[in-house]
Amino acid sequence: MAIAKPEELLLMFLILTTLYGTSISTFYKVGDSAGWSIPGSSDYRSWSSSKTFVVGDTILFQYDQQLHNVLLVHLHDYHSCNVNTPIATYTTGNDSFFIGKHGHYLFICGIPGHCEAGQKLDVRVPNS
Ligand SMILES: *[C@@H]1O[C@H](CO)[C@@H](O)[C@H](O)[C@H]1NC(C)=O
Ligand SMILES: [Cu+2]
């Protein structure tokens, strides 16, 4: 087989990095068209369990900022719906969260009663 020319190697490199980049990073809108709200017929458990999240993905929370917000919380606060000790708080109504490393990311809405009504999201990102 002939030795590839430098420009052919460059082209191969560009194709491979493009394919690699698009296959590993996905942009997810939480809740799809319903966005981030008190869940109706479908809950966020089924939404997240239908996805395979990987490092490099981004998840976007879209909601009416008069009605909701997003808290990144610890596991015990996720389970008890405690809104008082979040790790981070997002309030713009269009909040993107970049998954920079593997882990277990837990989100709840901080408005009283919403987490209890099911506005909570569990995103597991395995060590790849
Ligand atoms: C919401 O955020 C996404 C991702 O950052 C951006 O592409 C989109 O334009 C934003 N939408 C609005 C309405 O600001
Ligand atoms: Cu809410």
Side-chain angles (χ1 to χ4, degrees):
M1 191 183 132
I3 295 166
K5 298 188 194 92
E7 57 269 30
E8 289 171 347
L9 286 172
L10 179 64
L11 185 63
M12 274 160 56
F13 175 78
L14 289 175
I15 290 169
L16 285 174
T17 51
T18 304
L19 287 174
Y20 187 67
T22 52
S23 64
I24 64 161
S25 298
T26 310
F27 196 93
Y28 292 106
K29 184 182 167 189
V30 174
D32 301 316
S33 59
W36 178 238
S37 184
I38 295 176
S41 52
S42 76
D43 64 16
Y44 293 104
R45 186 178 291 273
S46 56
W47 182 85
S48 64
S49 62
S50 70
K51 314 282 184 290
T52 304
F53 299 101
V54 298
V55 173
D57 286 350
T58 300
I59 56 175
L60 175 68
F61 293 86
Q62 273 189 340
Y63 55 92
D64 182 340
Q65 60 175 318
Q66 307 296 323
L67 302 178
H68 305 287
N69 60 26
V70 183
L71 308 181
L72 176 67
V73 295
H74 295 289
L75 184 63
H76 52 95
D77 291 339
Y78 178 82
H79 287 307
S80 62
C81 288
N82 175 21
V83 300
N84 299 315
T85 52
I87 302 163
T89 302
Y90 307 93
T91 59
T92 71
N94 193 48
D95 305 316
S96 55
F97 182 85
F98 176 72
I99 299 169
K101 63 187 179 83
H102 71 92
H104 195 181
Y105 298 94
L106 300 162
F107 303 91
I108 64 175
C109 180
I111 307 302
H114 289 199
C115 172
E116 288 85 347
Q119 195 177 7
K120 56 200 301 189
L121 175 70
D122 176 337
V123 171
R124 283 171 192 271
V125 187
N127 196 353
S128 47

